Amino acid sequence: MAAARKAVLGPLVGAVDQGTSSTRFLVFNSKTAELLSHHQVEIKQEFPREGWVEQDPKEILQSVYECIEKTCEKLRELNIDISNIKAIGVSNQRETTVVWDKFTGEPLYNAVVWLDLRTQSTVENLSKRIPGNNNFVKSKTGLPLSTYFSAVKLRWILDNVRKVQKAVEEGRALFGTIDSWLIWSLTGGAKGGVHCTDVTNASRTMLFNIHSLEWDKELCDFFEIPMAILPNVRSSSEIYGLMKAGALEGVPISGCLGDQSAALVGQMCFQDGQAKNTYGTGCFLLCNTGHKCVFSEHGLLTTVAYKLGRDKPVYYALEGSVAIAGAVIRWLRDNLGIISTSEEIEKLAKEAGTSYGCYFVPAFSGLYAPYWEPSARGIICGLTQFTNKCHIAFAALEAVCFQTREILDAMNRDCGIPLSHLQVDGGMTSNKILMQLQADILYIPVVKPSMPETTALGAAMAAGAAEGVGVWSLEPEDLSAVTMERFEPQINAEESEIRYSTWKKAVMKSVGWVTTQAPESGIP
């Protein structure tokens, strides 16, 4: 029976999904897109100071190895031959910045996470140098100057970490986002590791010209970043190198996409105008705009959606980014202790059934789209003596939905064609109350695939479809039909609007909270 089982499965593809709060390795059947097995490890976040968010790059790498080994063990228990794994894709938290030593393979500083706010004064100083009538940074990158993107994080590290300055002077330093750090390490590290990134991750650094698809000398000069430390930019689907260690040694790494682009691919949003929203640590709504860069008038980003092969065309997307979504639940768990597991929030919210006039704006890292307001901070308002933890739990879930509504409104204004439904994915979508609230607040149906791991699926598709691998067809007629769950709006439109306008009032109260930036100090 075991032998028959092995024969039936055909080629498999693995995907590393390295997110902000956890790492996963998942294995899919390339013919049916069925998820066969996976393993997940939670990642520690360090908050050395107010507004700082760091992670240990070695812990991240270790978690990837652990997830791969554990998943392979699970496959063996299922009698599945791991030699059927023909390729590996990588999807990653974007913008998080790592600098390491190319001779020793050691990180030279902790990874500075995308949510980190220490670069606020760096951003203020740089913005004074951009001419008002020619925002060349935005026109070349599609991004507003913000603490969110890698260039300012890298600038801060170069200004403040002596170890990194020295490594740059001595030609030992390499910079990368998490995908680059992982691919370099997995393909041999100091012994011949491949230093590369893909167009989607490069487009989040603020150093990459999204029109010419190259690192931009003018941008590197503006941020004073030495181009020698940057990775080579490749397409999202090609063989970068081979795994050099572990159970999957010799398997090609052949797909690489920033997590939000990976989810767009995994949700099969290949047509102009198709959109998806991913609910992870943050919340990210991407709309495919085809071969043209659409610049937003309403606070959205223009970004590279994917380029699925060296000779394939590039696709662009409009993106609305919300910094805090799932992170608000982790905060209620770790900081306030009102829940002991993330799953409990659904039970509390269900108990309340309403926020009872309580509104929660989780602007822990300022507000991202559509405001780009770094001075905002989190607030909970509308409290009365009646308010309890169940109402706060409900308000936290509502906050995720209201933030999505703001982005959807901006996207509808930019694209001119309102979305008829919203495709959703990500860890939080298993929360049925959240999904129903989202449909109510948007007043359109919310559609969720029965297999919510679309980020990993997108990375697997890119890897399996790469030239030289060719085990996954991306032709529309070959893509497996996905079963969906639908949530229809259940409240009246007027009530939906009243709640939304009250939320906007709360947002205005969260803005302008931080007036002066605390001085940044150097790091030894």
Side-chain angles (χ1 to χ4, degrees), residues 377-511:
R377 284 297 174 271
I379 60 166
I380 302 177
C381 51
L383 300 173
T384 67
Q385 280 174 307
F386 182 70
T387 312
N388 62 30
K389 65 182 181 180
C390 300
H391 301 123
I392 290 173
F394 194 95
L397 294 182
E398 253 186 342
V400 175
C401 301
F402 285 132
Q403 292 182 100
T404 299
R405 163 87 190 256
E406 295 200 279
I407 283 173
L408 200 69
D409 285 359
M411 208 159 263
N412 287 341
R413 289 200 292 270
D414 277 328
C415 295
I417 313 159
L419 288 180
S420 57
H421 64 274
L422 182 64
Q423 284 176 235
V424 301
D425 58 75
M428 290 183 84
T429 58
S430 59
N431 184 325
K432 286 192 164 26
I433 291 199
L434 179 74
M435 293 295 93
Q436 186 55 54
L437 267 175
Q438 189 66 86
D440 289 346
I441 287 167
L442 296 178
Y443 219 66
I444 56 172
V446 166
V447 180
K448 170 194 163 193
S450 53
M451 200 284 295
E453 299 289 358
T454 45
T455 301
L457 177 61
M461 287 164 67
E467 194 182 327
V469 178
V471 297
W472 205 305
S473 165
L474 298 183
E475 296 306 319
E477 63 273 13
D478 297 329
L479 293 171
S480 348
V482 184
T483 50
M484 297 284 189
E485 188 177 354
R486 270 176 89 87
F487 295 85
E488 301 282 344
Q490 286 178 357
I491 61 173
N492 66 45
E494 193 185 353
E495 191 190 336
S496 182
E497 287 312 309
I498 292 169
R499 275 156 68 173
Y500 183 47
S501 60
T502 315
W503 155 264
K504 292 195 110 153
K505 206 160 86 182
V507 171
M508 294 314 17
K509 295 205 182 311
S510 77
V511 171

Side-chain angles (χ1 to χ4, degrees), residues 11-14 82-88 251-252 254 469 471:
L12 311 179
V13 179
I82 63 170
S83 69
N84 283 339
I85 297 175
K86 300 302 180 199
I88 295 169
V251 177
S254 53
V469 178
V471 297

